[in-house]
Amino acid sequence: MTSVATLPAVALIVRSILLLLVWWVLTLGDRSGLGFGVVVAVLVAWRSVRLFPPSGYRLRPLGALLFTGYFLSRSAVAGLDVARRLLSPSLPVKPGEITLSLRVPDGSPRWLLANTLSLMPGTLSALLEGDRLTVHCLDTRMDVEQDVREAERQVARAFGLRLPSADGAAQ
Amino acid sequence: MIETVMPAAQGVLLILGCLLFAVGTLGLFRLTDTLARIHALTKVDNLGLGLIVLALLPLAPSFLAGLKTLLIWAAALAASATAAHLVARAVHAGREAPGAEDSADD
């Protein structure tokens, strides 16, 4: 993928603008802090490009919107699910771990998947080594793998990616 | 009509949100292993904070203030996902190096 999105300079500008928007919201549009905000936004964007170089994958606007909806509903279910288990006298949990290989590519898609999985029902991203993700499950009797695969499909759609149909082999 | 329904709905959301925080903390006591406790804290607290943010949104004095409230929620979500992952990774590192197990299990 050698689109414009992989150029560090483009990433620096895009990230600076996004951070400046955050600054604008944080200061409630106050103009007196704007100069300071520009300096901070550019410095932070520069650091972030050094630490997390652009991977060339970009969120599609519609895909991102659909993903946000999916994520919010799933994380609400996650909260209610854990709350129900905690309040139940028998405490129905059966912690355990599964390891599976991810099909979304390295970079932002894999990062987004690992982070959102931690806020979805029954899963907690514990270890990410290459394409091997170890997920801690609150209840191993649930079909955790199916949930992870569904989340993976949603992430792929948010980035406009097509997943390889066979299991395992990413890239 | 709307004047009476709104405060009532906000009150319900606020109370539910606070109750969820309490349940999340209950999880710290009821669950025994570190990773299961993380499940309770991240997921239940996020939902609790979400309900509180929803209740406060109609009170925001301006559009930007409302955005700022949502931003706080987003920042809390990102922070708890990252913290959960870091704690989980520390637990794993502790298992591989037996000497560090005590500190990771606290």
Side-chain angles (χ1 to χ4, degrees), chain A residues 59 67 107-117 154-155 158-159:
Chain A
L59 283 170
F67 182 77
S108 332
R110 206 173 277 171
W111 174 87
L112 181 67
L113 178 62
N115 270 305
T116 47
L117 274 179
Q154 298 280 343
V155 167
F159 283 95

Side-chain angles (χ1 to χ4, degrees), chain B residues 9-72:
Chain B
Q10 285 172 296
V12 169
L13 284 175
L14 277 178
I15 292 169
L16 277 178
C18 294
L19 280 177
L20 280 170
F21 268 99
V23 171
T25 310
L26 178 72
L28 270 186
F29 294 101
R30 291 204 73 190
L31 296 168
T32 46
D33 87 294
T34 313
L35 289 172
R37 286 172 170 165
I38 301 291
H39 277 276
L41 281 186
T42 51
K43 297 183 179 97
V44 183
D45 285 9
N46 281 333
L47 184 59
L49 185 60
L51 294 185
I52 291 172
V53 165
L54 274 185
L56 295 180
L57 271 186
L59 295 176
S62 67
F63 174 69
L64 270 182
L67 271 185
K68 189 175 176 178
T69 318
L70 284 176
L71 196 62
I72 291 171

Side-chain angles (χ1 to χ4, degrees), chain A residues 86 88-89 97 119-120 123, chain B residues 30 39 43 46 68 85 92:
Chain A
L86 290 177
S88 159
E97 282 178 352
L119 299 173
M120 289 193 194
T123 51
Chain B
R30 291 204 73 190
H39 277 276
K43 297 183 179 97
N46 281 333
K68 189 175 176 178
H85 176 67
H92 268 265

Side-chain angles (χ1 to χ4, degrees), chain A residues 3-112:
Chain A
S3 61
V4 284
T6 51
L7 291 175
V10 175
L12 180 67
I13 293 168
V14 171
R15 290 182 195 184
S16 298
I17 291 171
L18 288 177
L19 284 168
L20 200 58
L21 275 178
V22 172
W23 178 273
W24 180 64
V25 173
L26 273 183
T27 53
L28 298 178
D30 185 0
R31 282 191 199 141
S32 62
L34 205 59
F36 188 66
V38 170
V39 174
V40 171
V42 172
L43 279 178
V44 173
W46 176 69
R47 271 326 291 177
S48 88
V49 172
R50 291 286 300 276
L51 289 171
F52 307 102
S55 57
Y57 300 103
R58 251 188 308 182
L59 283 170
R60 302 288 185 274
L62 181 65
L65 205 66
L66 288 173
F67 182 77
T68 307
Y70 166 77
F71 170 71
L72 287 180
S73 65
R74 290 302 283 165
S75 62
V77 170
L80 292 175
D81 171 64
V82 181
R84 180 186 59 80
R85 289 170 194 274
L86 290 177
L87 289 174
S88 159
S90 61
L91 194 63
V93 297
K94 192 167 179 289
E97 282 178 352
I98 62 165
T99 300
L100 34 86
S101 55
L102 299 178
R103 286 175 293 165
V104 285
D106 201 7
S108 332
R110 206 173 277 171
W111 174 87
L112 181 67

